[in-house]
Amino acid sequence: MGVYILVWGGFAVLAYCFPYTGDDWMWGTSYGIKLLTTGFAGYNGRYAGNLIVLLLTRCKPLQVLAVSSSLFFLAWEMKQIVNRERRLLFWAAAALLLSLPVEIMREAVVWTSGYSNYVTSALFLLVFLRMAQKLQEENLWILKRDIILCAFLGFINGLFVEHITLVDVLIGLILTAYAWFRNRKMLGLPLAFLAGACLSGILMFQNAAYSNIASGTDTLQRSLFLSYLPMLMLRCRENLSQTILPYGILANWIFYVAGAILAFWIGHEKWPELKKKAKLPFAAAICLLVLFALYSVLLIGNPEWNILADQTEKFEILFTIAYFIAWFCFCLLAFKGKQRERMLFYLFLFAALLAPLFVVTPVGPRCFFCGYVVLMVFLLELFQAACGDSKQDALFQRAIALSVLALFVFWGSIYGYIHLKEKERMQEIRRQITEAGEALPVVDWISLPYNEYLWWADFSDKNEEGRKRIPEFKEFYQISDEVTFRFTDSIQ
């Protein structure tokens, strides 16, 4: 128990250091209340996420409790899904969460507005996936409380992020079909989840924001390209090259390296059991996994590297497709029965979470958090398959625990310093206002350090978005409207 408290405490310290930025200022002021009084009409249908961020931006202790507990229970649920008796998996899950790519970390975890939609929805999805494992148990009987909980999970999880709402409905349909053919005693679980997901989907997409997006009249410049095929294809290509490929695929180098090592380990053990005709595709699949892992590491170290000049993008797209086909082949050949079903389901779920992001805008790294979590579960399943013998757990646990500690120190050094500088910034702003006396104060804007680890921490009066942030920032920190910020030319 003490170990779990320490990990939660580490997450809590990080959450305490996370600053409010960007949309957080809007949600924590009268601007957020105005949206609430209109029922978020014309804004979005993320009703659960909107309500959460309204609360968290008004109470820092609640934000610390929510963020730390969510991250802790994400690691806990991943461990419960894979092997609830093996504590080592909790440490591994915590290490993977702390190894998030910076772009996803800053938008989905550090940024309170992002956390309220993306981390929460991933957690609810994992809770359902753990319950859905009962579909593979033929000696269990369904309980009324399980049906109620699944209906709730389907409903609440459909009120956070649009693409996850759609995927929830798809998951409900697939698992309902699975239960119909494999285990009808448990059919009520996926049916209840499907009903909840459909109900929340209807509620979400009734919001006028989505009809405005579809008609091209949205005031927030969001768009959905489905009616005009050339524009749809252009949007797919732009989203793939600018966001999905760099942040949703290639940034996950830790998954690729760990996955390649585990695949090689499992392949070594399974090789004698394979039929002769299966050995060639199996070996080819492992080779592809290793090559892709190597490429991702080289790309992280040399982000400007274009291996095939102007044809690099096409190469990376084809390489990525081949990579996930290799995983599909590997899972088909290396695993059997229920384990194979789970592994293939995780691969399908990751693809399903990416698919809607091809046709909408804006799309940011935060959109890939849930997909990253699914890949983490997949990786833990691989680890369980490769290292099922718990005799070496003590050694593994020490190594992974040290990694978790090092990652806490790493993130803490960054966000702890940001937290100190944020306090100094507000003290300096108030000092300048006090010194101005009765004169209209002109205050120098002070940027926070490590800006690449924050989302919308800086703004300027030189663009429309920045001019919108200024009154929100002033109201959030109770600064008079008469104060004028003086921005340097380096802030755009």
Side-chain angles (χ1 to χ4, degrees), residues 130-178:
R130 175 169 57 83
M131 295 191 65
Q133 286 184 319
K134 294 181 179 181
L135 298 177
Q136 291 189 319
E137 303 297 330
E138 297 178 0
N139 58 343
L140 292 179
W141 289 92
I142 197 167
L143 299 175
K144 184 182 293 185
R145 68 185 182 191
D146 291 339
I147 293 179
I148 294 172
L149 180 56
C150 283
F152 169 76
L153 290 171
F155 178 76
I156 195 68
N157 207 43
L159 299 176
F160 288 106
V161 188
E162 294 80 7
H163 73 284
I164 293 180
T165 302
L166 297 174
V167 171
D168 282 346
V169 174
L170 183 61
I171 290 172
L173 289 170
I174 291 172
L175 293 183
T176 297
Y178 178 86

Side-chain angles (χ1 to χ4, degrees), residues 65-251:
L65 178 63
V67 174
S68 58
S69 298
S70 295
L71 294 174
F72 176 87
F73 282 110
L74 273 172
W76 178 263
E77 287 297 327
M78 283 189 269
K79 170 229 175 200
Q80 294 293 96
I81 287 172
V82 178
N83 185 344
R84 63 184 62 199
E85 304 298 330
R86 202 174 184 189
R87 180 187 289 185
L88 172 65
L89 295 174
F90 174 81
W91 283 106
L96 289 170
L97 277 174
L98 290 167
S99 301
L100 277 166
V102 171
E103 296 83 3
I104 299 178
M105 181 77 170
R106 72 183 181 191
E107 291 189 26
V109 179
V110 179
W111 185 37
T112 303
S113 299
Y115 157 82
S116 299
N117 287 301
Y118 294 95
V119 175
T120 47
S121 57
L123 179 57
F124 283 123
L125 181 59
L126 283 192
V127 173
F128 172 70
L129 292 181
R130 175 169 57 83
M131 295 191 65
Q133 286 184 319
K134 294 181 179 181
L135 298 177
Q136 291 189 319
E137 303 297 330
E138 297 178 0
N139 58 343
L140 292 179
W141 289 92
I142 197 167
L143 299 175
K144 184 182 293 185
R145 68 185 182 191
D146 291 339
I147 293 179
I148 294 172
L149 180 56
C150 283
F152 169 76
L153 290 171
F155 178 76
I156 195 68
N157 207 43
L159 299 176
F160 288 106
V161 188
E162 294 80 7
H163 73 284
I164 293 180
T165 302
L166 297 174
V167 171
D168 282 346
V169 174
L170 183 61
I171 290 172
L173 289 170
I174 291 172
L175 293 183
T176 297
Y178 178 86
W180 177 264
F181 289 107
R182 297 293 298 272
N183 189 1
R184 294 190 186 182
K185 289 186 295 185
M186 306 301 291
L187 184 61
L189 290 183
L191 276 177
F193 183 82
L194 176 60
C198 289
L199 183 60
S200 61
I202 292 170
L203 180 61
M204 168 180 274
F205 291 109
Q206 277 185 339
N207 192 293
Y210 303 103
S211 59
N212 294 339
I213 292 171
S215 62
T217 59
D218 180 57
T219 58
L220 297 177
Q221 298 181 332
R222 298 167 295 188
S223 54
L224 174 67
F225 297 91
L226 288 178
S227 57
Y228 187 47
L229 185 58
M231 290 184 66
L232 172 63
M233 298 304 296
L234 178 63
R235 173 51 51 192
C236 286
R237 180 168 182 174
E238 288 182 357
N239 282 7
L240 178 61
S241 61
Q242 296 175 12
T243 311
I244 295 174
L245 198 58
Y247 302 123
I249 303 293
L250 296 176

Side-chain angles (χ1 to χ4, degrees), residues 13 41 51 74 87-88 136 244 321 324 354 360 385 470 482:
V13 170
L51 292 173
L74 273 172
R87 180 187 289 185
L88 172 65
Q136 291 189 319
I244 295 174
I321 294 171
F324 283 100
L354 286 184
V360 297
I470 294 173
E482 296 180 350

